[in-house]
Amino acid sequence: MPTIMPEAITRRSLHDEVVSRLRDLIVEGEFRPGTRINERMLCERFAISRTPLREALKVLASEGLVELTPNRGATVATFTLRDIEEMFPVMGALEALAGELACQRITEAELAEIRALHYQMVVHFQKGELPEYFHLNQAIHEAMLAAARNPTLSNIFRSLSGRVSPARFRANMSRARWTRAVEEHEKILKALEARNGPLLSSLLKEHLSNKGETVREAMFAAEDTREAVG
Amino acid sequence: MPTIMPEAITRRSLHDEVVSRLRDLIVEGEFRPGTRINERMLCERFAISRTPLREALKVLASEGLVELTPNRGATVATFTLRDIEEMFPVMGALEALAGELACQRITEAELAEIRALHYQMVVHFQKGELPEYFHLNQAIHEAMLAAARNPTLSNIFRSLSGRVSPARFRANMSRARWTRAVEEHEKILKALEARNGPLLSSLLKEHLSNKGETVREAMFAAEDTREAVG
DNA sequence: TATAATTTTTTTGCATTCATTATTCATACA
DNA sequence: TGTATGAATAATGAATGCAAAAAAATTATA
């Protein structure tokens, strides 16, 4: 990944632009898992030719957000229960590492930032504002990854996280799970403040495992109402 | 990843073929880090047009093997010391997870296979045959990943591993490091046989950390001889 | 001679076109 | 009526063509 330089004029090529736009469409749920992607249709929508679109599709395929079948085109990737069960332990391991590194490297300023995000998140929890909660939740995890000072780790985690987003975005949480998630975040913050790497590490692993369970449940619920996530 | 069905005829599209061929050229060192990739040249070499080639380059860029600069084309990705320092802890965390999962799930047959690979690898070590050693080493790690039964994990690890391969491929090891690596592998095998997840996990983390050190050293050496790895 | 400016060449980015492969629809047949 | 076969249509895969940008080469100038 190219580092973004200050002052540098960011000239994005068309296919690059298409990649992020398409990614958003998928992650934010307009293109649901399983949907067939018609090239002509998207070309008209973005007012571009097929060449950059096809290049973008290849990239998204290698990221795992779309599936390409030879001569049959692209579909938005579908996740089976199995896929979810595979992904969360991996994300757990990655975030556990991030936590350990963050404990060694985090600055007071970064910690203060995370603390602020945390308590703002708690407010949204108390008001029952799920989308806002999600947003801050993600911001906290991002901030911790940033504090780990390992862009490679961040990128891989973000990519995985992006792949589950289409499922998570539409997943409701039971109040019980939600409460528990907030409690876990409380402990995570304390461990980070104490720079207790091993503890933070195991808390994060546990936390991600529970997140996985939440998405699992949501997928079951979705299946019942014929709104399959994947 | 599409499941391979029995009887199904696997038809690879051109760009897909190009992706793996180009990847091999990079990983096996024919295209060294930093080399500019000329589209016309590669088109002639593969006897294809620019379209599938460009699609392949986009994919390899998203895998991190090549770097694309707008209007300036592609170069084989270069790794700084810093990149290496970032990647190995991540690979360590991933393989540690793989080890834990493998302890839970590995079959006797798989274990026997790994054992066989291990002792064959030791033979190559004793004969000082580095390429063969590398090959078996990789096979062992692959087999353990397979035993973890988590294709998502395997894919991510493989992708990362592929990114460092261009560096590792050309890295020599001191006899001391090599001896130590073999000793570590011995312990790893024992832990796997004992299904001792936590032990295996920490051994692998340590092992990967040492691998990182080895590559680091090799990079320094390469820099000295004006043969920069990246 | 060294440097700057300008022209030429090369290379990249994207659109378009052509060929091949799926899919759909209509027809024939049991 | 339901299935099978074949033609028509649409979609994908890859090659070519064209415009813009970058690199190289040439000329002009101090």
Side-chain angles (χ1 to χ4, degrees):
Chain A
M1 292 257 154
T3 321
I4 294 149
M5 293 185 196
E7 298 290 331
I9 300 158
T10 35
R11 278 193 304 178
R12 300 188 77 184
S13 47
L14 210 41
H15 61 257
D16 217 29
E17 182 70 32
V18 173
V19 166
S20 32
R21 291 245 249 145
L22 239 175
R23 204 201 325 262
D24 288 348
L25 286 179
I26 294 171
V27 170
E28 280 162 25
E30 181 167 338
F31 285 5
R32 300 208 165 167
T35 312
R36 280 210 48 181
I37 295 173
N38 187 300
E39 291 183 4
R40 182 182 310 275
M41 186 193 69
L42 270 177
C43 287
E44 284 171 20
R45 174 160 186 166
F46 292 144
I48 52 162
S49 84
R50 282 176 58 216
T51 308
L53 177 72
R54 286 173 58 81
E55 290 176 349
L57 286 174
K58 300 280 176 303
V59 171
L60 291 174
S62 87
E63 283 179 18
L65 271 172
V66 312
E67 276 167 28
L68 295 177
T69 320
N71 297 319
R72 292 231 200 136
T75 57
V76 179
T78 58
F79 294 109
T80 61
L81 202 57
R82 172 124 204 188
D83 292 320
I84 297 290
E85 284 171 350
E86 285 176 9
M87 288 162 83
F88 277 91
V90 178
M91 293 179 32
L94 293 174
E95 199 152 358
L97 172 62
E100 281 198 61
L101 294 175
C103 281
Q104 295 165 30
R105 301 172 183 175
I106 197 165
T107 64
E108 276 306 318
E110 287 172 320
L111 192 54
E113 170 72 17
I114 290 178
R115 199 181 289 122
L117 289 167
H118 174 81
Y119 287 111
Q120 208 177 333
M121 183 179 81
V122 170
V123 171
H124 289 304
F125 161 68
Q126 286 163 344
K127 290 189 185 169
E129 297 163 345
L130 196 54
E132 289 83 355
Y133 172 87
F134 266 141
H135 187 252
L136 280 166
N137 185 307
Q138 207 155 338
I140 289 170
H141 287 279
E142 281 283 336
M144 209 169 61
L145 280 164
R149 312 237 189 290
N150 187 323
T152 304
L153 174 57
S154 298
N155 286 335
I156 294 177
F157 186 87
R158 206 172 295 131
S159 148
L160 255 175
S161 179
R163 273 161 70 182
V164 283
S165 305
R168 282 194 66 208
F169 212 80
R170 298 163 55 213
N172 273 326
M173 266 199 283
S174 71
R175 190 75 198 181
R177 280 223 175 274
W178 197 355
T179 306
R180 179 154 179 195
V182 172
E183 284 167 5
E184 284 168 3
H185 263 269
E186 200 84 43
K187 285 186 201 163
I188 287 167
L189 179 61
K190 291 283 169 284
L192 193 56
E193 283 173 336
R195 266 82 168 176
N196 188 338
L199 174 62
L200 180 55
S201 182
S202 70
L203 286 173
L204 283 166
K205 211 176 269 186
E206 172 88 11
H207 182 60
L208 266 287
S209 165
N210 287 332
K211 265 194 191 175
E213 272 303 308
T214 305
V215 174
R216 243 180 92 119
E217 277 176 12
M219 282 182 74
F220 271 126
E223 256 168 40
D224 292 344
T225 56
R226 296 224 158 271
E227 268 246 10
V229 179
Chain B
M1 289 262 149
T3 321
I4 294 149
M5 295 186 190
E7 298 290 331
I9 301 159
T10 35
R11 280 190 301 177
R12 298 189 77 183
S13 48
L14 210 41
H15 63 257
D16 215 31
E17 183 70 32
V18 173
V19 167
S20 31
R21 290 244 248 146
L22 238 177
R23 205 202 323 264
D24 287 349
L25 286 179
I26 294 171
V27 170
E28 280 163 24
E30 182 167 336
F31 285 5
R32 299 207 167 167
T35 312
R36 282 210 47 182
I37 296 173
N38 186 299
E39 291 183 3
R40 183 182 309 275
M41 186 194 68
L42 271 176
C43 287
E44 283 171 20
R45 173 159 187 166
F46 292 145
I48 54 163
S49 83
R50 282 176 58 216
T51 309
L53 176 71
R54 286 174 57 82
E55 290 175 348
L57 286 175
K58 300 278 176 305
V59 171
L60 291 174
S62 87
E63 284 180 18
L65 271 172
V66 311
E67 277 167 28
L68 295 178
T69 318
N71 296 319
R72 294 236 200 129
T75 57
V76 178
T78 58
F79 294 109
T80 61
L81 201 57
R82 174 129 202 182
D83 290 322
I84 297 291
E85 284 170 351
E86 286 176 9
M87 287 161 84
F88 278 92
V90 178
M91 293 180 31
L94 292 173
E95 199 153 358
L97 172 62
E100 280 199 60
L101 294 175
C103 281
Q104 294 165 28
R105 299 171 183 175
I106 197 166
T107 64
E108 275 307 320
E110 286 171 321
L111 193 55
E113 170 73 15
I114 290 178
R115 199 180 290 123
L117 289 168
H118 174 81
Y119 287 111
Q120 209 176 333
M121 183 180 79
V122 171
V123 171
H124 289 303
F125 162 68
Q126 285 162 344
K127 290 188 187 171
E129 296 163 345
L130 195 55
E132 290 83 355
Y133 172 88
F134 267 141
H135 188 251
L136 280 165
N137 185 307
Q138 206 156 338
I140 288 170
H141 288 279
E142 279 284 336
M144 210 169 62
L145 279 164
R149 313 235 189 291
N150 186 324
T152 304
L153 174 57
S154 298
N155 287 334
I156 294 176
F157 186 87
R158 206 173 294 131
S159 148
L160 255 175
S161 179
R163 272 161 70 183
V164 283
S165 294
R168 283 194 66 208
F169 212 81
R170 298 163 55 214
N172 274 325
M173 268 198 281
S174 70
R175 191 75 198 181
R177 280 227 174 271
W178 196 355
T179 306
R180 179 156 179 194
V182 173
E183 284 167 4
E184 284 168 4
H185 262 272
E186 200 84 43
K187 285 186 199 161
I188 286 166
L189 179 62
K190 291 283 170 284
L192 192 57
E193 283 172 337
R195 265 83 169 175
N196 188 338
L199 174 62
L200 179 56
S201 183
S202 70
L203 286 173
L204 283 167
K205 210 175 273 186
E206 172 87 11
H207 181 61
L208 267 286
S209 165
N210 287 332
K211 266 193 191 176
E213 272 304 308
T214 306
V215 174
R216 244 181 91 120
E217 277 176 13
M219 282 180 75
F220 271 125
E223 255 168 41
D224 292 343
T225 56
R226 297 223 156 271
E227 267 245 11
V229 179

